[in-house]
Each structure stands twice: as C-alpha cells, then as structure tokens.
Amino acid sequence: RPAAAAAAAVLGVPPRVCRRHFGACPSPPPPSQSHCRLGLWMPAYSALASGGAVRPPRATCLLLASFAAGSGLWLLVGSQKEEQPDVASPRTQRSARSAAQLAKWFRWQAVLASEAAAHTASPGKGSLALWGDSITESWRGTSYGTPAGRANGTPAVLAQTLARRWPSPAVLAISGDQTQHLLWRLGDGGELPPPLASDGALTAVVMIGTNNLGAGHLPGPTAEGVLAVAREYLRRSRGRLLLCALLPRGDGAELLPRLCPPRCDRRGAPFRS
C-alpha cells in the first residue's frame, strides 16, 4: 500500500490503480512484453494519464514508488544497455539526470501523445507540427511542460509568425531528448497517431540530435539517428518533412575533454569543436 500510494502520487492517479493491479507483468516477462522487460510502463502510459482503463504492472509501480520516496536509488529493473542513436528507446537511467527527471519525462510525453491524438486537419490551410528537444519546446515557453524563464516571449513569437500561416501549430517536444527518444515517441510513444499521420496537408518540422553530441555520441552515429527519425516519419505519415540542421554548439571546450576517454581522436586527444 505505501508503494502503491507513492507511485500513484507520481503518476497522478488514484492509489487503487497501482494497488489493485500490481501483478500485471508475469515473471519472467515474455519478450513480447517489452514494457515489462524494461520495468517501465510505456505503451499504456498515455491511456492511464488520460483516465483510461489501462493499468501499470507491478514493476512500474515499484519503480515510481522509489522515485516518489526520493531514495536516489536507480532500481536495476530496466535495460542496462547503452542507448543507440538509431534504435528507438524512451528515456532510461542512461539518459536521465535523476529519477525525478525520468518520471517527469514520462508524464510530459503522455501529454504530448494526448495532444497529437486530438489533432484535426485544417481545411485549406494545412497543419504544422514541430518535433524536437528543448530548442523546439521553447516555442511553448516550457521545459518538461513547466514554464521556463529562458523561453519567455517565445510563444508570442510563434503566434506572430508560423501560427499566422498554420493555425494552432502542434509543438511536440521534450527538453533534453535525443534522436532515439524521438524515434520512440513517433512509434510506441503515440505522437504520430492515425489522425496526424493521415493528414496529407501536414508539414512536420524536426530538429533533433544536438543532445546526442552533448551526451558523447559521435557525429556519424548521431547523423544515423537523425536519418532514422526522418525515415520513420516518412514511413508512417502522408505529410511533408522539413528536417533542420543542428545549430552550432558552444560547449566544446568544456564538454569534449570530459568525454575523452572514450571519445578521443586518433591521437588519443579530445575532439575539437
């Protein structure tokens, strides 16, 4: 009961939702139940957040209970493999700064999936969707859905520019995301549902990949991740795609020495940016 209550507090649902269904994942879980193997509840998260009848497995309730308790422990229930830029993955312990940030990521992603599912085409004017990381989320004035001072005034700029051409543009972005995270969001994360994917007048703008470089991924694998995102969108959608180049990063002098080793040049020295 205490674990269920703590997990429910993180999820924002009644405690009985976690308490009554702790046994949803078999042990050991079959390969088909990837959300059980990861120890996280991904495919069904948006349904629960929107009040649906889908319920989380025991592993998720226990994991989120540890987040809510503030224990600071990373439970070893998830995949320990390193995330790859061109392989779809939600955020994991590998790419979140803290347990609290990981829980925040899943909550915000559920909101974005819900917004995408509510999409309606705009006859005659077309539709616009922007996918990305913190740079794109700044159009909303937020970070993980929370108002961010660094983005003050940015939503007004969106309203005065792009929104005049495309009414109510969908800004589907999460601060800190990398290519593999957006790749997952377009698929299992539900951010490209049928109403959005079938809109032939949709223009999608994607800017993703800078956080891969910041996390130590090399330019080559990062580029493969960007292309994987583009291919996934074009495979699933009838819309058009504007794929943006990455903006220059200014943290090379500070960041690159910390990444070496293992990210070193042929001489064993840090890369230069």
Side-chain angles (χ1 to χ4, degrees):
R1 283 178 177 270
V10 175
L11 284 167
V13 297
R16 60 181 173 77
V17 174
C18 278
R19 186 170 64 242
R20 190 192 308 168
H21 301 281
F22 258 22
C25 277
S27 181
S32 60
Q33 292 184 259
S34 60
H35 60 291
C36 293
R37 288 190 296 114
L38 286 172
L40 298 172
W41 178 47
M42 299 161 215
Y45 191 95
S46 59
L48 177 62
S50 60
V54 183
R55 296 174 284 266
R58 177 186 179 93
T60 299
C61 289
L62 291 176
L63 179 64
L64 291 175
S66 73
F67 296 164
S71 64
L73 297 177
W74 287 95
L75 298 186
L76 299 179
V77 296
S79 171
Q80 295 303 303
K81 294 181 180 179
E82 182 179 355
E83 296 176 17
Q84 301 299 323
D86 61 344
V87 179
S89 171
R91 286 279 187 93
T92 68
Q93 300 97 312
R94 295 276 186 174
S95 52
R97 294 182 178 178
S98 66
Q101 186 186 76
L102 185 60
K104 187 187 300 183
W105 187 90
F106 278 103
R107 285 198 301 269
W108 181 232
Q109 198 280 320
V111 171
L112 298 183
S114 177
E115 291 182 359
H119 170 79
T120 55
S122 300
K125 291 191 174 183
S127 305
L128 178 67
L130 302 101
W131 275 281
D133 47 40
S134 62
I135 299 172
T136 302
E137 192 181 348
S138 291
W139 288 119
R140 303 181 70 123
T142 64
S143 176
Y144 294 97
T146 301
R150 61 176 174 75
N152 285 344
T154 309
V157 175
L158 179 64
Q160 295 164 9
T161 54
L162 297 177
R164 290 186 175 181
R165 169 63 177 82
W166 294 277
S168 303
V171 180
L172 305 170
I174 306 180
S175 296
D177 261 11
Q178 302 174 30
T179 56
Q180 66 272 21
H181 307 140
L182 180 52
L183 194 58
W184 183 87
R185 287 163 48 200
L186 292 175
D188 290 343
E191 290 184 35
L192 191 55
L196 201 57
S198 62
D199 186 354
L202 174 67
T203 297
V205 178
V206 171
M207 179 184 287
I208 195 72
T210 188
N211 291 312
N212 291 82
L213 299 175
H217 290 139
L218 293 174
T222 297
E224 288 300 319
V226 173
L227 291 175
V229 169
R231 294 187 186 106
E232 181 71 2
Y233 171 81
L234 293 173
R235 182 180 72 84
R236 289 176 171 269
S237 174
R238 295 181 56 212
R240 297 173 295 179
L241 172 64
L242 173 61
L243 188 61
C244 298
L246 300 189
L247 298 175
R249 294 183 61 92
D251 58 359
E254 175 185 353
L255 178 65
L256 293 177
R258 296 206 308 266
L259 297 176
C260 176
R263 303 304 189 196
C264 309
D265 63 19
R266 293 178 180 178
R267 297 176 293 107
F271 285 103
R272 299 180 62 185
S273 175

